[in-house]
Coordinates of all heavy atoms in Angstrom, one line a residue:
M1142 N 64.9 -2.9 25.6 CA 65.3 -3.8 26.7 C 64.1 -4.3 27.4 O 63.1 -3.6 27.6 CB 66.3 -3.1 27.7 CG 67.4 -2.3 27.0 SD 68.4 -3.3 25.9 CE 69.0 -4.5 27.0
S1143 N 64.1 -5.5 27.8 CA 63.0 -6.1 28.5 C 63.1 -5.8 30.0 O 62.1 -5.7 30.7 CB 63.0 -7.6 28.4 OG 62.7 -7.9 27.0
A1144 N 64.4 -5.6 30.5 CA 64.5 -5.3 31.9 C 65.9 -4.6 32.2 O 66.8 -4.9 31.4 CB 64.4 -6.5 32.8
W1145 N 66.0 -3.9 33.3 CA 67.2 -3.3 33.8 C 67.5 -4.1 35.1 O 66.6 -4.3 35.9 CB 67.1 -1.8 34.1 CG 66.9 -0.9 32.9 CD1 65.8 -0.9 32.1 CD2 67.8 0.0 32.4 NE1 66.0 0.1 31.1 CE2 67.3 0.6 31.3 CE3 69.1 0.4 32.8 CZ2 67.9 1.6 30.6 CZ3 69.8 1.4 32.1 CH2 69.2 2.0 31.0
L1146 N 68.8 -4.4 35.2 CA 69.2 -5.1 36.5 C 70.3 -4.3 37.1 O 71.4 -4.1 36.4 CB 69.7 -6.5 36.1 CG 70.3 -7.3 37.3 CD1 69.2 -7.7 38.3 CD2 71.0 -8.6 36.8
F1147 N 70.1 -3.8 38.3 CA 71.2 -2.9 38.9 C 71.8 -3.7 40.1 O 71.1 -4.1 41.0 CB 70.5 -1.6 39.5 CG 69.9 -0.8 38.4 CD1 68.5 -0.8 38.3 CD2 70.6 0.0 37.5 CE1 67.9 0.0 37.3 CE2 70.0 0.7 36.6 CZ 68.6 0.8 36.4
T1148 N 73.1 -3.9 40.0 CA 73.8 -4.5 41.2 C 75.1 -3.8 41.4 O 75.8 -3.4 40.4 CB 74.1 -6.0 40.9 OG1 75.0 -6.1 39.8 CG2 72.8 -6.8 40.6
G1149 N 75.5 -3.6 42.6 CA 76.8 -3.0 42.9 C 76.9 -1.6 42.7 O 78.0 -1.0 42.6
I1150 N 75.8 -0.9 42.5 CA 75.8 0.6 42.3 C 75.9 1.3 43.7 O 75.1 1.1 44.5 CB 74.6 1.1 41.6 CG1 74.4 0.3 40.3 CG2 74.7 2.6 41.2 CD1 75.4 0.4 39.3
P1151 N 76.9 2.2 43.8 CA 77.0 2.9 45.1 C 75.8 3.7 45.4 O 75.2 4.3 44.5 CB 78.3 3.8 44.9 CG 79.0 3.1 43.8 CD 78.0 2.5 42.9
D1152 N 75.5 3.9 46.7 CA 74.3 4.6 47.1 C 74.3 6.1 46.6 O 73.3 6.6 46.1 CB 74.1 4.6 48.6 CG 72.8 4.1 49.0 OD1 72.1 3.6 48.1 OD2 72.5 4.1 50.2
A1153 N 75.5 6.7 46.7 CA 75.6 8.1 46.3 C 75.3 8.2 44.8 O 74.6 9.2 44.4 CB 77.0 8.6 46.6
A1154 N 75.9 7.3 44.0 CA 75.7 7.3 42.6 C 74.2 7.1 42.2 O 73.6 7.7 41.3 CB 76.5 6.3 41.9
A1155 N 73.5 6.3 43.0 CA 72.1 6.0 42.7 C 71.3 7.2 43.0 O 70.4 7.6 42.1 CB 71.6 4.9 43.7
K1156 N 71.5 7.9 44.1 CA 70.7 9.1 44.4 C 71.0 10.2 43.3 O 70.0 10.9 42.9 CB 71.1 9.6 45.8 CG 70.7 8.7 46.9 CD 71.1 9.3 48.2 CE 70.6 8.3 49.4 NZ 71.1 8.8 50.7
K1157 N 72.2 10.4 42.9 CA 72.6 11.4 41.9 C 71.9 11.1 40.6 O 71.4 12.0 39.9 CB 74.1 11.5 41.8 CG 74.5 12.6 40.8 CD 76.1 12.6 40.8 CE 76.5 13.7 39.8 NZ 78.0 13.8 39.7
S1158 N 72.0 9.8 40.2 CA 71.5 9.4 38.9 C 70.0 9.5 38.8 O 69.4 10.0 37.8 CB 71.9 8.0 38.6 OG 73.3 7.9 38.5
V1159 N 69.3 9.1 39.8 CA 67.8 9.1 39.8 C 67.3 10.5 39.8 O 66.2 10.8 39.3 CB 67.3 8.3 41.0 CG1 65.8 8.5 41.1 CG2 67.6 6.9 40.9
S1160 N 68.1 11.5 40.4 CA 67.6 12.9 40.4 C 67.9 13.6 39.1 O 67.5 14.7 38.8 CB 68.3 13.6 41.5 OG 69.7 13.6 41.3
G1161 N 68.7 12.9 38.2 CA 69.0 13.6 36.9 C 67.9 13.5 35.9 O 67.3 12.5 35.7
A1162 N 67.5 14.7 35.3 CA 66.3 14.8 34.5 C 66.5 13.9 33.3 O 65.5 13.2 32.8 CB 66.1 16.2 34.1
S1163 N 67.7 13.8 32.7 CA 67.9 13.0 31.5 C 67.7 11.5 31.7 O 67.1 10.8 31.0 CB 69.3 13.3 30.9 OG 69.5 12.5 29.7
F1164 N 68.3 11.1 32.8 CA 68.2 9.7 33.2 C 66.8 9.3 33.5 O 66.3 8.2 33.2 CB 69.2 9.4 34.3 CG 69.3 7.9 34.7 CD1 69.9 7.0 33.8 CD2 68.8 7.4 35.9 CE1 70.0 5.7 34.1 CE2 68.9 6.1 36.2 CZ 69.5 5.2 35.2
R1165 N 66.1 10.2 34.2 CA 64.7 9.9 34.6 C 63.9 9.7 33.3 O 63.0 8.8 33.2 CB 64.2 11.0 35.5 CG 64.8 11.1 36.8 CD 64.6 12.5 37.5 NE 63.2 12.6 37.9 CZ 62.8 12.5 39.2 NH1 63.7 12.1 40.1 NH2 61.5 12.6 39.5
E1166 N 64.1 10.6 32.4 CA 63.3 10.5 31.1 C 63.7 9.3 30.4 O 62.8 8.6 29.7 CB 63.6 11.8 30.3 CG 62.8 11.9 29.0 CD 61.3 12.0 29.4 OE1 61.0 12.6 30.5 OE2 60.5 11.6 28.6
T1167 N 65.0 8.9 30.4 CA 65.4 7.7 29.8 C 64.7 6.4 30.3 O 64.2 5.6 29.6 CB 66.9 7.5 29.9 OG1 67.6 8.5 29.2 CG2 67.4 6.1 29.4
L1168 N 64.6 6.4 31.6 CA 63.9 5.2 32.3 C 62.4 5.2 31.9 O 61.9 4.1 31.6 CB 64.1 5.3 33.8 CG 65.5 5.2 34.3 CD1 65.5 5.3 35.8 CD2 66.1 3.9 33.9
K1169 N 61.8 6.3 31.8 CA 60.4 6.4 31.5 C 60.1 5.9 30.1 O 59.2 5.2 29.7 CB 59.8 7.8 31.8 CG 59.7 8.1 33.2 CD 59.1 9.5 33.4 CE 58.9 9.8 34.9 NZ 58.2 11.1 35.1
Q1170 N 61.0 6.4 29.1 CA 60.9 6.1 27.7 C 61.1 4.6 27.4 O 60.6 4.1 26.5 CB 61.8 7.0 26.9 CG 61.4 8.4 26.8 CD 62.3 9.2 25.9 OE1 63.1 8.6 25.2 NE2 62.1 10.5 25.9
S1171 N 62.0 4.0 28.2 CA 62.4 2.6 27.9 C 61.3 1.6 28.0 O 61.4 0.5 27.4 CB 63.6 2.2 28.7 OG 63.2 2.0 30.1
Q1172 N 60.3 1.9 28.9 CA 59.2 1.0 29.1 C 59.7 -0.4 29.5 O 59.0 -1.4 29.3 CB 58.3 0.8 27.8 CG 57.6 2.1 27.4 CD 56.7 2.7 28.5 OE1 55.9 1.9 29.1 NE2 56.8 3.9 28.8
S1173 N 60.8 -0.5 30.2 CA 61.4 -1.7 30.6 C 61.1 -2.0 32.1 O 60.8 -1.1 32.8 CB 62.9 -1.7 30.4 OG 63.2 -1.5 29.1
N1174 N 61.2 -3.3 32.4 CA 61.0 -3.6 33.8 C 62.3 -3.3 34.6 O 63.4 -3.2 34.0 CB 60.6 -5.1 34.0 CG 59.3 -5.4 33.4 OD1 58.3 -4.9 33.9 ND2 59.2 -6.3 32.5
F1175 N 62.2 -3.3 35.9 CA 63.3 -3.1 36.8 C 63.4 -4.3 37.8 O 62.4 -4.6 38.4 CB 63.3 -1.8 37.6 CG 63.1 -0.6 36.7 CD1 61.9 -0.1 36.3 CD2 64.3 0.0 36.1 CE1 61.8 1.0 35.5 CE2 64.2 1.0 35.3 CZ 62.9 1.6 34.9
I1176 N 64.5 -4.9 37.9 CA 64.7 -6.1 38.7 C 65.2 -5.7 40.1 O 66.2 -5.0 40.2 CB 65.6 -7.1 38.1 CG1 65.3 -7.3 36.7 CG2 65.7 -8.4 38.9 CD1 63.9 -7.8 36.4
L1177 N 64.4 -6.0 41.1 CA 64.8 -5.7 42.5 C 65.4 -7.0 43.1 O 64.6 -8.0 43.4 CB 63.7 -5.3 43.4 CG 63.9 -5.2 44.9 CD1 65.0 -4.2 45.2 CD2 62.6 -4.8 45.6

């Protein structure tokens, strides 16, 4: 993927997901940009 675009994600879900080891590793491996 060239970029990830996050919209409409609840705050609680965001905190939980970012703290997950598997998801964190996924983001690092993807080498994709993140759109703010």
Side-chain angles (χ1 to χ4, degrees):
M1142 310 307 296
S1143 294
W1145 292 70
L1146 176 70
F1147 301 104
T1148 67
I1150 307 296
D1152 235 9
K1156 291 179 181 178
K1157 182 178 179 181
S1158 299
V1159 174
S1160 62
S1163 178
F1164 186 67
R1165 293 161 73 100
E1166 188 62 29
T1167 293
L1168 296 180
K1169 288 184 178 180
Q1170 288 183 8
S1171 69
Q1172 295 301 312
S1173 302
N1174 292 302
F1175 302 94
I1176 310 304
L1177 171 62

